[in-house]
Amino acid sequence: MTFSARHLLGIEPLHPVEITTILDLADKYVDLNRQPNKHGDALRGLTQINMFFENSTRTQASFELAGKRLGADVMNMAMQASSIKKGETLIDTALTLNAMHPDLLVVRHPHSGAVDLLAQKVNCAVLNAGDGKHEHPTQALLDALTIRRAKGRLHRLNIAICGDISHSRVARSNLILLGKMENRVRLVGPPTLMPSGIGEFGVEVYEDMAEGLKDVDVVMMLRLQRERMDGGFIPSEREYYHRYGLDAEKLAHAKPDAIVMHPGPMNRGVEIDGDIADDINRSVIQEQVEMGVAVRMAAMDLLARNLRAPKDEGVYV
Ligand code: NCD
């Protein structure tokens, strides 16, 4: 199995074998993370810088823990207080940091494509921690690992991604990954929250939750991304919850053993009923968080091996 990528900018460029390679290594890190001694040395001596230009709780915390558990020196840049506020461009900030010889740069940015641009300017490995509405590759990988462990496989599953699709990088990365692994993905939500022309991408699109959830194995809920909305996309939160909020009645249309997912942060009573989110027999939301640390350890480990490998040679794992 080969993993030859220099950066992790999105799911789009990954081959299914590379996806499987990351997930297999992540499984090993799940075991390590459950031990009292959680230390590995895959990143020993390396410097990891986290640059988050957008708010984050779980993604930033899990990248930080992942780096620390593998022995990297981890620095979190306080981007709110950085020179960006003084007018410095993203690229100048990146070049400044690049001169300090980081090995891994973890970047979240509100603009789609900003992380790709930055990756072209620096010498280290860049990991996309979410860029605008574009991609959030480690989220899709942690979701894939969660599904694979809960269902015992990651192919030929029926998966519904529900809610605010059009503003969601999580939906986009998941759609690409789950498609590559040969699952049937449905999108469910109001037409105002569907990207235009989505029907041409070979996915089934539903406006009605009862129809969209019928017999699915996985129900993936999304947050209403209000920070990316500039107008009235939904009538009211109450109305939205009534039609699209996941409650027991709507979930009853899915398979009896269907799992419920949410990338967080979740708005209880808006896109999901609190009791469903907390139901340990259905919800795998906490497992997603656990898998997040392991997947980020695996991704950074593989990228670090490529940093150390002679140029143009992927590593064999
Ligand atoms: C997601 C994101 O930032 O795109 N959150 C996350 O990384 N766990 C989804 C969201 O913000 O709703």
Side-chain angles (χ1 to χ4, degrees):
M1 288 184 288
T2 313
F3 184 85
S4 56
R6 197 164 113 74
H7 305 292
L8 181 60
L9 300 175
I11 298 298
E12 189 94 65
L14 295 182
H15 188 276
V17 171
E18 293 181 301
I19 293 170
T20 304
T21 300
I22 299 173
L23 300 185
D24 290 349
L25 184 58
D27 263 329
K28 297 194 181 121
Y29 282 127
V30 173
D31 295 340
L32 178 68
N33 288 336
R34 289 179 180 179
Q35 304 297 318
N37 179 352
K38 301 168 180 58
H39 282 167
D41 61 4
L43 304 182
R44 194 187 320 150
L46 301 185
T47 300
Q48 173 192 337
I49 301 182
N50 298 334
M51 293 167 77
F52 280 67
F53 295 89
E54 256 188 5
N55 294 343
S56 172
T57 308
R58 68 218 83 225
T59 305
Q60 183 167 354
S62 89
F63 265 114
E64 182 175 354
L65 265 186
K68 287 183 168 159
R69 286 188 182 163
L70 292 181
D73 292 317
V74 185
M75 183 172 79
N76 289 309
M77 294 284 296
M79 297 320 298
Q80 308 299 332
S82 75
S83 293
I84 292 272
K85 290 279 163 209
K86 298 182 187 166
E88 186 172 75
T89 66
L90 170 68
I91 299 303
D92 282 332
T93 305
L95 291 177
T96 303
L97 290 175
N98 191 49
M100 299 180 194
H101 297 291
D103 302 285
L104 298 151
L105 214 49
V106 180
V107 188
R108 169 171 286 193
H109 199 278
H111 294 148
S112 307
V115 184
D116 288 47
L117 185 69
L118 192 144
Q120 293 164 25
K121 308 282 178 191
V122 296
N123 306 319
C124 58
V126 177
L127 292 101
N128 182 359
D131 64 324
K133 297 188 271 183
H134 179 224
E135 281 237 36
H136 191 353
T138 55
Q139 180 70 44
L141 288 162
L142 77 87
D143 289 338
L145 185 62
T146 307
I147 295 171
R148 195 173 81 164
R149 291 171 70 102
K151 293 285 157 200
R153 68 178 199 275
L154 188 59
H155 58 273
R156 273 187 276 117
L157 292 167
N158 287 310
I159 298 166
I161 306 180
C162 311
D164 183 358
I165 311 288
S166 63
H167 299 102
S168 176
R169 54 199 176 205
V170 175
R172 203 166 173 284
S173 289
N174 264 301
L175 197 57
I176 301 169
L177 189 154
L178 295 168
K180 278 183 197 265
M181 306 311 276
E182 292 175 13
N183 296 284
R184 279 183 72 175
V185 183
R186 308 169 180 186
L187 301 177
V188 192
T192 47
L193 296 177
M194 283 294 161
S196 55
I198 189 72
E200 294 151 29
F201 282 86
V203 283
E204 298 162 49
V205 179
Y206 293 86
E207 212 179 309
D208 181 72
M209 284 288 271
E211 283 173 35
L213 297 193
K214 195 165 180 331
D215 294 331
V216 297
D217 301 286
V218 177
V219 183
M220 192 180 285
M221 301 307 298
L222 299 169
R223 182 176 66 88
L224 280 178
Q225 313 248 309
R226 289 199 171 280
E227 69 277 22
R228 295 190 218 292
M229 296 183 194
D230 50 14
F233 283 86
I234 56 159
S236 71
E237 283 187 355
R238 230 178 119 220
E239 172 73 9
Y240 182 82
Y241 181 66
H242 177 66
R243 293 206 56 193
Y244 295 102
L246 186 68
D247 56 14
E249 199 190 316
K250 296 189 189 85
L251 183 58
H253 296 281
K255 284 199 183 142
D257 62 350
I259 55 169
V260 173
M261 307 178 74
H262 193 303
M266 78 190 149
N267 293 308
R268 292 167 186 259
V270 180
E271 68 264 358
I272 190 164
D273 171 40
D275 290 343
I276 297 283
D278 297 334
D279 181 351
I280 53 165
N281 296 313
R282 306 306 293 271
S283 163
V284 292
I285 295 170
Q286 297 307 320
E287 280 86 341
Q288 287 174 270
V289 179
E290 182 185 8
M291 296 309 123
V293 180
V295 151
R296 287 163 182 132
M297 289 165 86
M300 290 197 290
D301 176 345
L302 290 167
L303 290 173
R305 294 186 207 191
N306 287 345
L307 282 176
R308 291 178 170 129
K311 277 213 173 1
D312 301 318
E313 249 181 62
V315 288
Y316 295 88
V317 286

